[in-house]
Amino acid sequence: MADDFHRPTHFSNDWFERVEGDVDPVVRLQLASETANALLARVRAGADPEVVERILRVAREDGIDIVAELWSGARPHSLPGALWRVHLLHALVTQRAEEAAHLYQAGADALPTAAPVVAGVPAPATPAELRTLSETILRGVFAGDFALALERAAAFAIVTAAGAVQLAHQDETTHPDRASARTKLAARLTDIAEDLRICGRLWRSDSLA
C-alpha cells in the first residue's frame, strides 16, 4: 500500500482551498467514496499493527495526496469528507509545526472550554506533541474508535482556531496581512471542526458513508 502513495503533499498559503482536477465530478465523487471505504475497510477489518504503522509512516514521510485529492471534493458529512479534513489537519501539523504549536497554545490559553482536554495535548504545546497527537488521531482512524478520533481532531481544530483569532487580534495593527490570513484560517478550522463533529455523530449511528 505504501508504494501507491509517493508524492509529498505541499500546501501553499491557500492550501485549504479545494483541489480541483480534470476528472468528471460524478466519477470523482464515486472514486472518493470507494477509495475511502476500501482503505478504511481493509485496514480496520484486520487492524494489523504493521499495516497501520505503514500507513502512518506514509502519511508522516510522503503524504497521501494522490488519494486525498479525490476526497477533497466529497460532501463534508461523508466518510471521504471526514478523511479529507483529518488529512488537512495532519498536513498543518507536519508542514507548519512551529506555527501550529504557537496557534494551539494561544488557543488553549484563551479557551474556557474542555476542548484542549479532549484534544489531549499537554501544556505548553510543542511541535513534537502536536505531531504525536496527529499520529494518535490517525491511528484511531485506522485501528481505534473512529468517532473518538474525529472528535479529537475537531477539538484540535477548535483550539487552533481560537489561537489564530487571538493572534490575529494582536497582529491587526502591526501585521495586517498576517492578521487577515490567520482570521481566514480560524474560520476554515472552525468549519472543519463542526464537520468532523457531525461526521463523528453519523459514524456512531452507522450513518456515515
Side-chain angles (χ1 to χ4, degrees):
M1 184 179 297
D3 291 339
D4 295 333
F5 310 110
H6 58 277
R7 291 190 296 114
T9 304
H10 293 293
F11 293 102
S12 61
N13 288 334
D14 61 348
W15 59 288
F16 269 126
E17 296 299 319
R18 281 179 45 185
V19 177
E20 297 294 345
D22 57 1
V23 180
D24 180 88
V26 175
V27 175
R28 185 184 181 90
L29 290 177
Q30 182 179 356
L31 286 172
S33 179
E34 289 176 353
T35 55
N37 280 281
L39 178 61
L40 226 60
R42 176 175 177 180
V43 179
R44 292 180 68 87
D48 185 333
E50 290 187 5
V51 174
V52 173
E53 291 305 317
R54 190 187 317 156
I55 290 176
L56 293 177
R57 186 173 65 252
V58 169
R60 181 171 57 248
E61 297 176 357
D62 301 317
I64 52 174
D65 57 311
I66 292 176
V67 174
E69 284 179 9
L70 291 174
W71 301 339
S72 68
R75 291 179 296 107
H77 307 149
S78 66
L79 182 58
L83 293 180
W84 170 244
R85 283 153 180 78
V86 170
H87 173 69
L88 286 178
L89 296 179
H90 179 73
L92 173 63
V93 169
T94 55
Q95 296 177 17
R96 297 162 62 175
E98 293 287 345
E99 179 186 3
H102 187 43
L103 295 176
Y104 182 91
Q105 187 57 54
D109 291 340
L111 279 179
T113 70
V117 177
V118 175
V121 177
T126 67
E129 285 162 347
L130 288 191
R131 291 190 191 96
T132 297
L133 170 65
S134 184
E135 292 210 1
T136 299
I137 290 171
L138 285 178
R139 190 172 283 106
V141 164
F142 293 115
D145 185 327
F146 185 71
L148 179 59
L150 297 184
E151 289 163 359
R152 292 191 72 179
F156 165 76
I158 283 294
V159 176
T160 307
V165 170
Q166 290 293 314
L167 296 179
H169 288 328
Q170 296 176 17
D171 285 337
E172 281 180 343
T173 303
T174 55
H175 300 90
D177 290 342
R178 188 168 64 186
S180 176
R182 283 176 167 169
T183 299
K184 291 178 181 178
L185 176 61
R188 186 69 178 106
L189 287 170
T190 300
D191 288 343
I192 286 175
E194 181 59 22
D195 289 336
L196 288 173
R197 285 171 173 167
I198 293 172
C199 287
R201 291 198 294 269
L202 290 173
W203 179 265
R204 291 191 189 282
S205 63
D206 200 26
S207 304
L208 189 67

